[in-house]
Amino acid sequence: MNAFLQRVHQIDTLAFVWLHVTKQFPYRRTVRWISRCGDGPLYTLIALGLVAFEVPNSQAFLYMGLACYALDVSLYLLLKNAIKRNRPAAAIDIYEGWFTPSDQFSFPSGHTAAAFVFAFLVLNFYPLFAIPAYVMASLIGVSRVLLGVHFPTDILAGAALGTGCAILGSLLYTGVIG
């Protein structure tokens, strides 16, 4: 790991330890609920609900979403397995996680990436709901740090990955690229 990445990891670790060891907020139940909103099924339910109720542009929302998520999940898995950054409980000796995440590595945050893909789709199809969608995407990212399964930069990388995949996926879907 080069000096810059080591310094970023040190700052990440200090921020994480400060939050979890020094502050010890009593937030787990609410934060876990927020995090679960980013698990994936809710996005599918919303998209299918829009189609079922024949909301204008709902089919395009669904199909563009599929294109964006296909890119997002592919790149997320590639990055996570190439970078192999340990989760905070494995990387920090003085921290003990209180639940087991679904996989071993933390960079980037897949929950955050998916949430930002969804927020981008909402912005493009239903702009009236964009601010709540981006607020929720941000809360999902923050919840992952508060739950102790991600470092802050994992969240930033997830937001960038999700936004980038959403932009690229929308361009591919609309035929601007390809």
Side-chain angles (χ1 to χ4, degrees):
M1 189 181 313
N2 70 33
F4 174 74
L5 292 177
Q6 285 178 333
R7 184 67 182 140
V8 168
H9 182 69
Q10 286 176 327
I11 293 168
D12 247 2
T13 302
L14 288 173
F16 185 90
V17 169
W18 176 82
L19 181 67
H20 283 276
V21 176
T22 308
K23 293 298 175 190
Q24 297 183 1
F25 296 116
Y27 49 71
R28 290 187 174 150
R29 189 177 267 166
T30 302
V31 170
R32 190 129 191 212
W33 178 85
I34 292 169
S35 178
R36 286 225 168 125
C37 288
D39 285 351
L42 182 60
Y43 306 133
T44 304
L45 185 65
I46 290 170
L48 293 176
L50 292 171
V51 171
F53 287 105
E54 298 179 359
V55 173
N57 300 314
S58 59
Q59 287 190 347
F61 179 88
L62 174 65
Y63 294 132
M64 184 183 291
L66 291 172
C68 294
Y69 281 115
L71 283 171
D72 175 59
V73 171
S74 299
L75 286 174
Y76 154 79
L77 289 171
L78 180 74
L79 288 169
K80 189 163 270 211
N81 290 305
I83 295 169
K84 296 183 180 181
R85 183 182 196 186
N86 284 329
R87 291 194 183 269
I92 302 170
D93 293 335
I94 61 171
Y95 177 72
E96 186 175 325
W98 57 277
F99 85 96
T100 305
S102 61
D103 62 15
Q104 181 181 0
F105 303 119
S106 73
F107 187 92
S109 168
H111 278 76
T112 306
F116 275 84
V117 167
F118 190 79
F120 180 89
L121 291 166
V122 170
L123 172 66
N124 278 281
F125 288 94
Y126 308 107
L128 184 62
F129 300 100
I131 290 175
Y134 274 102
V135 167
M136 191 64 189
S138 299
L139 288 173
I140 288 169
V142 169
S143 77
R144 304 300 289 166
V145 175
L146 293 175
L147 286 173
V149 294
H150 284 289
F151 291 102
T153 54
D154 300 339
I155 305 311
L156 295 174
L161 174 65
T163 301
C165 288
I167 291 168
L168 182 59
S170 67
L171 292 173
L172 289 169
Y173 176 78
T174 58
V176 173
I177 302 176

